[in-house]
Amino acid sequence: MATNHLVLSGTITRSRSFHSPSGIAHSVIMLEHKSQCYEAEMLRNVYCQMQVILSGERFESVTDKLKIGVDIEVQGFIALQQSRNGQNRLVLHAENVELKT
């Protein structure tokens, strides 16, 4: 069996919520991550932005707290998503979210 699990912490830089036509609640946030990690025995600055999707009723209680500037940690799986203009990107689908601030 293949493994697909990612844990990423960072600061929310964009946030929007909506309901799908079938009535499922979704929140889409942009998570900005900054840290330092060792690679080849050298300290390296790490920076990335990743879109995070939170779907379903279990996230409705936290959705109103997911505002710009809030620090969170997200656990979930990544999947390829194609935008309207045809560009591919990896997106993190949340399974658990923890507020850090």
Side-chain angles (χ1 to χ4, degrees):
M1 177 166 181
T3 302
N4 184 347
H5 184 78
L6 178 67
V7 179
L8 187 65
S9 63
T11 304
I12 297 172
T13 60
R14 285 194 310 245
S15 177
R16 69 182 175 96
S17 298
F18 62 95
H19 282 79
S20 68
S22 61
I24 297 172
H26 300 279
S27 289
V28 178
I29 62 173
M30 184 61 70
L31 189 63
E32 180 180 75
H33 170 86
K34 296 178 185 177
S35 65
Q36 291 185 322
C37 296
Y38 280 95
E39 181 179 35
E41 300 173 13
M42 299 281 294
L43 193 59
R44 173 183 180 179
N45 290 324
V46 178
Y47 174 81
C48 69
Q49 287 186 323
M50 181 168 271
Q51 183 173 318
V52 180
I53 300 174
L54 301 91
S55 300
E57 293 178 7
R58 66 182 172 160
F59 294 115
E60 286 184 349
S61 63
V62 75
T63 298
D64 61 329
K65 297 176 182 122
L66 299 177
K67 306 288 183 199
I68 293 172
V70 172
D71 293 327
I72 62 172
E73 180 179 280
V74 181
Q75 297 178 26
F77 62 92
I78 56 174
L80 191 64
Q81 184 181 67
Q82 191 172 55
S83 64
R84 291 183 185 136
N85 63 6
Q87 290 186 329
N88 291 326
R89 64 179 167 196
L90 289 177
V91 175
L92 176 57
H93 291 265
E95 295 175 315
N96 187 47
V97 175
E98 184 179 331
L99 298 172
K100 293 294 187 179
T101 54

